[in-house]
Amino acid sequence: MRQGAQGSAETGTPWAAGPAAPGVPAGQARVPQQSGAVRGEHTHSEPPAPRTRPVVQRASVRGQILDALRAALVAGDLRPGEVYSAPVLGERFGVSATPVREAMQQLALEGAVEVVPNRGFRVVERGVRELAELAEIRTLIEVPVMLRLARTVPAERWAALRPLAEATVRAASSGCRATYAESDRGFHRAVLSLSGNEQLVRIAEDLHRRAQWPLVGGAPGGRGRADLVADAHEHTALLDALIARDLDVVRALVGEHFAGAAAAGA
């Protein structure tokens, strides 16, 4: 993955939309625009940013911006190979360029975008090979962990994860790729958290997030609703196998789960 850094020590922290605070009308919940354009970032001849302007709360603006940018990446609203400037994206979301730039710096550290001097940030172009490599790495990490957990974790703890698995099915049925991506990560995170290894959970989630980014030349919506629903139902089947301590089925399901996601992305 290519990483980028811009200017001084701007470390990324977050963009994303959220509902207005209780009792505050939606029209009054926007963060005031800071005066002055940001020098060095041209805004002409770039693709349009998402047209929606969700309401952004004053508190944790940077965190909301990062969440929204991640969702836009997964949904294909930010297209691979295209350059986006912080001032234009900030205008679209009703915030100054600063939190957008900080969020983009975080995405650059994650390998999702790269800095283009004097222009902004280019969404990294990813191919089928990279997606297959991510699937292989996730298999190498998660399969042994799940097999170990299947031998040691009692059935009632697996059963407690049933609501999360069912939530992924509902999210998939909505057809919204970004909604499903978040729910999907939540389920896998909960399963791996039973290992008690926080570093493992953090690394696995980073790989998972990268695997959800769209491929260059892919359809704007990415995987279709049927693909998402089929993927989600594998979560419930996996829980059944974990409860039954059927190690062969667990191994097969996890391997197929990652391979299927890679094939659907291709």
Side-chain angles (χ1 to χ4, degrees), residues 152-164:
T152 58
V153 174
E156 57 269 21
R157 296 196 67 183
W158 292 123
L161 300 184
R162 183 77 62 182
L164 290 177

Side-chain angles (χ1 to χ4, degrees), residues 14-15 65-75 78 106-107 110 178 185 209 213:
W15 123 344
I65 294 297
L66 180 57
D67 287 344
L69 282 173
R70 284 171 169 167
L73 278 169
V74 173
L78 298 179
Q106 176 59 34
L107 290 177
E110 295 175 4
R185 289 196 311 274
R209 191 187 301 280
W213 297 335

Side-chain angles (χ1 to χ4, degrees), residues 5 16 100 109 111 115 177-178 181 196 212 219 225 256:
V100 176
L109 291 175
V115 176
R177 186 179 180 188
Q212 292 172 332
R225 179 180 176 277
E256 291 171 3

Side-chain angles (χ1 to χ4, degrees), residues 14-173:
W15 123 344
V24 179
Q28 298 179 13
R30 288 181 57 207
V31 176
Q33 190 82 10
Q34 293 184 359
S35 60
V38 177
R39 292 180 296 175
E41 290 185 350
H42 303 298
T43 60
H44 58 277
S45 302
E46 69 175 65
R51 294 183 176 277
T52 56
R53 178 180 286 184
V55 176
V56 177
Q57 299 179 25
R58 182 181 298 273
S60 67
V61 171
R62 289 176 296 178
Q64 295 180 66
I65 294 297
L66 180 57
D67 287 344
L69 282 173
R70 284 171 169 167
L73 278 169
V74 173
D77 293 332
L78 298 179
R79 299 191 297 274
E82 300 291 354
V83 177
Y84 298 88
S85 65
V88 167
L89 290 173
E91 174 63 24
R92 296 288 184 180
F93 280 77
V95 299
S96 71
T98 299
V100 176
R101 187 178 298 104
E102 291 173 343
M104 282 295 202
Q105 292 286 356
Q106 176 59 34
L107 290 177
L109 291 175
E110 295 175 4
V113 301
E114 58 186 1
V115 176
V116 180
N118 300 321
R119 293 185 62 194
F121 301 85
R122 177 184 291 111
V123 179
V124 171
E125 299 179 89
R126 304 167 59 247
V128 174
R129 178 175 179 177
E130 182 176 345
L131 193 60
E133 290 173 347
L134 288 168
E136 180 180 8
I137 297 172
R138 292 185 66 202
T139 300
L140 291 172
I141 291 176
E142 296 194 33
V143 169
V145 174
M146 289 190 186
L147 290 175
R148 174 168 59 85
L149 294 176
R151 298 185 185 98
T152 58
V153 174
E156 57 269 21
R157 296 196 67 183
W158 292 123
L161 300 184
R162 183 77 62 182
L164 290 177
E166 294 172 347
T168 67
V169 176
R170 292 193 298 272
S173 298

